[in-house]
Each structure stands twice: as structure tokens, then as C-alpha cells.
Amino acid sequence: MITTPATDTRAAPAPRRPSRLRRAGRAANQYAGVLVVLAVLVVVLGATQPQFLTGGNLIIILETNAVLLVVAVGLTFILLVGGIDLSLGGTMAMSAIGMWGLIDAGVPAWVAIVVVVVAGTAVGALVNGLLIGWVGLSFLVVTIGTASLYRGIANLAAGGQSQSLYENAFLVGLGKNQLFGVPIIVVIAAVVLLVGMFVLRSTGYGRMVYAVGGNAEAARLAGIPIVTIRVSVYAISAGCAALAAVLDAGRLTSASPMAGTGIELTAGAAVLLGGTSFTGGRGTLLGTLLGVLFLGVLQNGLTLAGISPFWTGIVSGVVLIAAIVVDRFRTGRAMP
């Protein structure tokens, strides 16, 4: 009688997942560089500039960079899928002038704000999103074109002039009032950041964004609607830019067709400096926050030291180029 050896019918143990601490350590490696440089910068400025570490100055840093943070949050979504949006400044200008037009026509300020943010989101989806995500055109060509288009519309509607919003109490309060000692625009920027973190880290949509940026073909084979994801990130980014325009107009109590000039480059430098890969698939909004804080602290330090503010633009450009080069060597992936 032939017997067969008994087989173990128990399922093989599932591979152990990395601990939460280990996963956090791996994520921290993406922005460890900017964290170290930021810490050194804070120590140096704290030692050389007596006003730097005062509570009032720290609030100024947060307030003056709240708009940049909102824009950078939206841009992070686009970079995570391997794209870029150079029309964010134009979107801000068009949104600011659009809000002024609605208020000037008698629309309540809060209604105008809602309309502008919704319209900005829709324009981002229907113009940049469809042309890049659905038609498949180059994101550089499309967003350069729409940047000129949007700013041209803003200049035409405003006659090339800034428009005062100082008489609108709602907007003045939005830009000047505080909540528990913190400017309202900083609170709003923090909420946008936290919502973005939740979406990317804790939702299926966030996982699909990373998947599309990491390997679009594999994502398509897995059933992920890559066109929809690509369209949606341009909608999110434009909506953030429209909200940033509202915050900027409230802080300055005016709407300008020149609003947001160059902000897409500064935001891009902040996002890349924070460890988000230019080729997509890797990055965190915590890193984006650190990148924004680094640029904000640097600008504030230059101001306190009496150095020309034009150096901020030079440093931002150098940081942007350096971040892309570092990302290229770190990932070993070809640039688009």
C-alpha cells in the first residue's frame, strides 16, 4: 500500500509588513536634507538676528507664506503624477480679478469666493486637465500657453490696473483678522495642508495618484483610470491657486492682474526641495511644508539682515535646479 506524505494545508504566513516606525523612517529620508538645512538656517539666524525667533516674526513668516503653501499643496498633486503646471500664477491673477468683478457687481464677498474657487477648479479640469490628461499634449506647452491666456484675460478685464478691495469688510477681515492669535489665512492654509495629507495618505484616490506617477502603464493594467486621475490633479491644483488668490487679495486688500507672478516656480522649488520626485510617484506634503518653510525662513532672514530681496529669487532658482538634479541622481529615471 502506497501512502502519500501528509500535506500541511495551513496557509503560509503572510509576509511581515514594515513597522510603522520603519515606514515613517523611509518617508523621512525623502525630506531629511531640507529638514537639516532648515534647522541649521534657523540656528544661524537665531544667533545672528535677535528679532528672528520672536513670536511676532514667526507669525510674519507663516502669514507671508500661507499663499505659497496653498499653491504648493496643489502643485504637489501634479508632480506626484509626473506633471507640472506653469499656469498657476495666471490662474491666481484671473481668479483675483474675477472675484473683484463679482464683488463690484454687487455679489456678496463670500458668494464671490465660492464661485471663484469652483470656477478655478472647473477651468483647471476642462482646460489643462483635458488637454494634458485626455488629449495627451505636453504639459509644458499647454501650461505655458494657458499661463499667458489667463493673465491676458485678467489684464483685459482689469484694464491692466490693480483694483482696490479695501472697502469690502469681509475680505479685509479675512486678510487681517486672527483666530487665537494666528492669522486666519494661516489657519486656512493649514486646513488645506491637512486635508491634502489625509487625501494622499488615507484614501484610495491618494494611492491611485501615487500609482499613476510611479508607473502609469502598470496602473492602467490594474484598472486605475489614469486619464481621470491626471485630469483631477490639474483641477485640484487650479482650485488651490484660486483659493490662494482669494487669500492674497484679502491680505493685500486689492486684486491685481499681476497677482502670483512667478509663484509657480517658487512653489515648484519648495515641492521639489521637500523630496517630491520630478518624475512622479514619490513625495509627501510634509516635505512640501518643509520646503515652503525653508524658502520663507530664508527670505525672512535676508530681509532682517538688510540684504536685497532680489536674492530670494536667485536662491529660489538655484534651489529649483539643484533639487531637480538631486532627484535625477537619486531616482536614476530619465527626465521628460
Side-chain angles (χ1 to χ4, degrees), residues 211-212 215-226:
V212 171
N215 190 321
E217 181 60 20
R220 185 187 66 82
L221 294 175
I224 295 175
I226 59 175

Side-chain angles (χ1 to χ4, degrees), residues 309-325:
F310 295 119
W311 278 101
T312 302
I314 295 174
V315 173
S316 297
V318 171
V319 167
L320 177 59
I321 295 172
I324 294 174
V325 172

Side-chain angles (χ1 to χ4, degrees), residues 159-229:
Q161 302 293 322
S162 295
Q163 304 297 328
S164 175
L165 294 168
Y166 187 76
E167 296 181 356
N168 190 282
F170 185 89
L171 277 174
V172 171
L174 179 66
K176 304 299 181 183
N177 290 345
Q178 296 184 343
L179 184 64
F180 302 112
V182 180
I184 290 178
I185 63 172
V186 174
V187 174
I188 294 174
V191 170
V192 171
L193 176 69
L194 292 174
V195 170
M197 285 180 170
F198 173 78
V199 170
L200 287 178
R201 295 183 58 183
S202 305
T203 68
Y205 173 79
R207 288 187 287 273
M208 288 190 288
V209 168
Y210 281 103
V212 171
N215 190 321
E217 181 60 20
R220 185 187 66 82
L221 294 175
I224 295 175
I226 59 175
V227 171
T228 301
I229 296 299

Side-chain angles (χ1 to χ4, degrees), residues 64 85 99 121 139 183 209 220 238 254 280 286:
T64 54
D85 189 349
M99 181 180 65
T121 304
F139 53 75
V209 168
R220 185 187 66 82
S254 67
L286 179 56

Side-chain angles (χ1 to χ4, degrees), residues 97-154:
I97 296 302
M99 181 180 65
W100 162 77
L102 290 172
I103 292 174
D104 191 56
V107 177
W110 70 270
V111 175
I113 291 171
V114 172
V115 170
V116 161
V117 174
V118 171
T121 304
V123 168
L126 297 177
V127 182
N128 287 346
L130 287 182
L131 290 176
I132 296 167
W134 187 59
V135 179
L137 299 181
S138 166
F139 53 75
L140 289 175
V141 174
V142 170
T143 58
I144 288 174
T146 52
S148 178
L149 171 65
Y150 297 159
R151 198 170 293 281
I153 291 173

